[in-house]
Amino acid sequence: MDNADLENFNPKFINIKDYKTADEYKNTFFIENIVNTSEYYELSILNAYFIHPFLSIKTIFEASKQLSNNNKSEITYRKVNDWNTKGLFEDKRTSNIQWRKYSVRTGVQLLLINDLKKFGYSNEQIKGIVKQVIDDSAGVLIKNRTFNYRYFDFYASTFYKRGVNFFIMIDDNCDAFYLTEKDLALNIANGLKQFKPFLVLPFSKYLSVLQNIFSILITKKQLQMNYH
């Protein structure tokens, strides 16, 4: 990743406090900074990568270990089963005897749920935040055609392709925003901190930890196959 790639994504600053709702802000950001980027035109292709279930539950567990400061914060089978029962995420296996496999989206969703639990959010609050981070999309009209793309897919692809770090900021209304480090700092400097308390979570770190652990596991598996 060279500096030129990082400089290519330099979003126009949009002040959160200038908008009445989170949806208004996110749609404005999407139209001002996302439409017409190379990532935007590739989203329909990259979508397949984000929804394909290839991550094992072991990958999710290992990722949570790297993100946690203590063993009590790690994701476990019991936690995953409990979250599934409570509707915090959907287990799409057709039978209980199948091995669990997760997409990148679901992997990030589980890491996000785990962090929100640590900070004391209720199940209903978590459902709302997860919907905004994982499922919400922007309907953009271009040449009489509406494109509905998930915010998640754009920010994830921009991180993977350009190395741009994004954070998830959650305000006291449980509205969730994707922000670059620069946007986060500018919003704080422009009075965001004076208006509402907020939580900031490391979206890009979720992605990078999953990617790194998956790569290590694949390498180990290849070495074992070569050895035998």
Side-chain angles (χ1 to χ4, degrees), residues 150-211:
R150 296 192 190 205
Y151 296 114
F152 175 95
D153 294 354
F154 170 78
Y155 291 111
S157 65
T158 304
F159 167 73
Y160 281 135
K161 286 187 62 182
R162 299 189 185 277
V164 179
N165 287 317
F166 294 100
F167 297 89
I168 300 166
M169 190 203 76
I170 303 163
D171 67 17
D172 63 341
N173 292 320
C174 291
D175 286 327
F177 304 83
Y178 283 102
L179 296 170
T180 64
E181 189 171 2
K182 179 181 176 182
D183 278 336
L184 178 61
L186 287 173
N187 269 288
I188 292 173
N190 278 271
L192 180 65
K193 194 171 184 179
Q194 299 171 10
F195 276 76
K196 302 175 181 179
F198 54 85
L199 172 68
V200 177
L201 296 174
F203 176 72
S204 295
K205 195 167 185 179
Y206 295 155
L207 293 168
S208 64
V209 168
L210 288 172
Q211 183 182 44

Side-chain angles (χ1 to χ4, degrees), residues 46-60 89-94 98-110 152 210 214 218 221:
L46 291 168
N47 175 269
Y49 171 74
F50 297 131
I51 64 175
H52 180 69
F54 65 91
L55 297 173
S56 69
I57 193 68
K58 182 178 180 180
T59 306
I60 310 296
F89 87 103
E90 182 181 359
D91 189 343
K92 296 183 178 180
R93 290 180 300 168
T94 56
Q98 287 182 315
W99 288 103
R100 280 190 172 108
K101 290 290 183 181
Y102 298 105
S103 65
V104 171
R105 274 191 203 149
T106 307
V108 170
Q109 182 174 345
L110 290 172
F152 175 95
L210 288 172
F214 179 72
I218 288 297
K221 189 172 182 179

Side-chain angles (χ1 to χ4, degrees), residues 73-107:
S73 297
E74 295 172 5
I75 294 175
T76 63
Y77 279 106
R78 181 175 293 180
K79 285 183 179 180
V80 171
N81 289 330
D82 181 58
W83 297 343
N84 181 45
T85 300
K86 292 174 178 175
L88 299 182
F89 87 103
E90 182 181 359
D91 189 343
K92 296 183 178 180
R93 290 180 300 168
T94 56
S95 71
N96 290 331
I97 62 173
Q98 287 182 315
W99 288 103
R100 280 190 172 108
K101 290 290 183 181
Y102 298 105
S103 65
V104 171
R105 274 191 203 149
T106 307

